[in-house]
Amino acid sequence: MEVNQLLQCYEQGDRDFTGVDLKGVDLNGAILVGVDFSRANLTGVNFSRAFLIRAKLNQACLHRANLGFAKMNEAELMQSNLTKANLSGAFLVKAQLFQANLSGARLPGTNLRGALLTHANLCSTDLQGANLREANLAQANLKWANLSGAKLIAAQLSGSALTGANFRRAYLNGTDLSSLDLDGVNFSEARLSGANFAQASLISANLMGAQMRSVHLGHTNLSGANFKGADLKRANLSWAQLTQTNLQQADLTEAMLMGTDLRNAELTGALLPESWRRYLELTHLGVGFSKIMGDEIKAS
């Protein structure tokens, strides 16, 4: 179908363009509110700054399509193919992307607040600075995704795959990350205050300089993790595994450390609760620590 024919039909009230072939056409800035492009071939289409509010693009092929700054609030893109598509700065508030394939897509600065992304493939996706507040990412594939600076407050991440994901400087305050495999994930300088990591695995994770006040890390495996300079005031670390963990200059004021395993942890310059400082000084456990005795551990 030619662009002029499509726009003319739309102006005449037609909204059903299911299965249409528009491969490579230019619809920059087009107003197509409520259009139905389900199962359409939209490969390489230029939808830059187009108005696709409440549009239906279920099972459509949008491979390498340009949707930069497009208005797509409440659009349906379930099971759509958006591999390597450009959605930079697009508005996708409350959009439905169930089982959508966004592998390798670009979404920096995209507004996905309240979007449905369950079971979506976001592997190696660029989500820098994206707004994912209240988004549902349950069971999503976020392996090697770049979420640096992204806003994920109140997002749902249960069962999601996060191997190699980058959350540097991301906003995750109060987010539920319990029971997730977060081994090696980068949370450096992230805002994590009040987040729930209960029973998660954070082996060798990078939490350097993270803001983690009142975070729940109970029964969590943190072996080899880097908490250097992290703010862990009032954090719950009860029964956590912290062997060979780097806690240099970390602030653990009023932290709960009941049953915590700190063998061979690096605590140089760490600010610990007074009770723990005395315990380490009076027991032989301190022998196995690196540079933690005497004045090198500060009491809170």
Side-chain angles (χ1 to χ4, degrees), residues 21-263:
D21 188 350
L22 291 166
K23 182 179 179 179
V25 304
D26 187 0
L27 287 164
N28 177 38
I31 299 174
L32 295 164
V33 175
V35 71
D36 190 348
F37 281 136
S38 297
R39 299 182 299 282
N41 182 5
L42 303 169
T43 304
V45 171
N46 181 14
F47 280 117
S48 176
R49 301 185 185 278
F51 290 81
L52 292 160
I53 298 166
R54 293 185 295 281
K56 294 181 180 179
L57 297 116
N58 300 317
Q59 299 180 337
C61 182
L62 289 145
H63 176 66
R64 292 189 183 277
N66 182 6
L67 293 150
F69 298 96
K71 308 296 187 295
M72 302 178 72
N73 296 342
E74 299 182 44
E76 296 180 16
L77 295 121
M78 293 182 284
Q79 298 180 328
S80 60
N81 180 2
L82 287 152
T83 53
K84 298 187 178 180
N86 175 23
L87 294 108
S88 303
F91 291 83
L92 285 151
V93 175
K94 295 183 179 180
Q96 298 184 49
L97 292 131
F98 171 75
Q99 288 187 341
N101 189 352
L102 291 134
S103 178
R106 297 187 62 250
L107 295 98
T110 301
N111 191 344
L112 287 152
R113 183 164 188 161
L116 177 67
L117 288 150
T118 52
H119 296 277
N121 184 2
L122 293 151
C123 182
S124 300
T125 300
D126 182 359
L127 286 154
Q128 294 183 74
N131 183 357
L132 287 153
R133 292 174 185 266
E134 302 170 3
N136 190 344
L137 291 147
Q139 305 295 324
N141 180 3
L142 285 156
K143 293 181 179 179
W144 310 107
N146 187 353
L147 291 133
S148 58
K151 299 172 180 65
L152 290 128
I153 296 171
Q156 297 180 48
L157 290 156
S158 59
S160 58
L162 295 161
T163 302
N166 181 6
F167 288 97
R168 184 172 182 267
R169 294 185 176 176
Y171 295 80
L172 290 142
N173 297 326
T175 302
D176 186 2
L177 298 158
S178 60
S179 303
L180 290 175
D181 182 354
L182 301 166
D183 294 349
V185 171
N186 183 6
F187 287 107
S188 59
E189 301 180 69
R191 279 72 166 177
L192 292 157
S193 294
N196 181 15
F197 285 96
Q199 299 183 343
S201 181
L202 286 142
I203 298 171
S204 300
N206 183 1
L207 294 126
M208 185 174 178
Q211 296 178 19
M212 304 181 73
R213 294 191 178 193
S214 301
V215 72
H216 187 0
L217 289 156
H219 297 275
T220 302
N221 191 342
L222 301 159
S223 301
N226 183 4
F227 285 93
K228 184 176 181 180
D231 184 352
L232 287 154
K233 291 177 181 176
R234 296 182 297 280
N236 182 357
L237 288 150
S238 298
W239 306 104
Q241 179 68 256
L242 285 157
T243 54
Q244 298 182 329
T245 298
N246 185 356
L247 287 157
Q248 294 180 77
Q249 287 87 49
D251 188 347
L252 289 140
T253 304
E254 299 180 46
M256 296 175 62
L257 296 163
M258 181 181 295
T260 303
D261 188 349
L262 284 160
R263 286 175 297 171

Side-chain angles (χ1 to χ4, degrees), residues 5-26:
Q5 182 185 359
L6 169 71
L7 296 176
Q8 184 177 8
C9 289
Y10 182 86
E11 287 297 322
Q12 292 173 354
D14 193 356
R15 297 293 182 270
D16 188 357
F17 298 97
T18 56
V20 71
D21 188 350
L22 291 166
K23 182 179 179 179
V25 304
D26 187 0

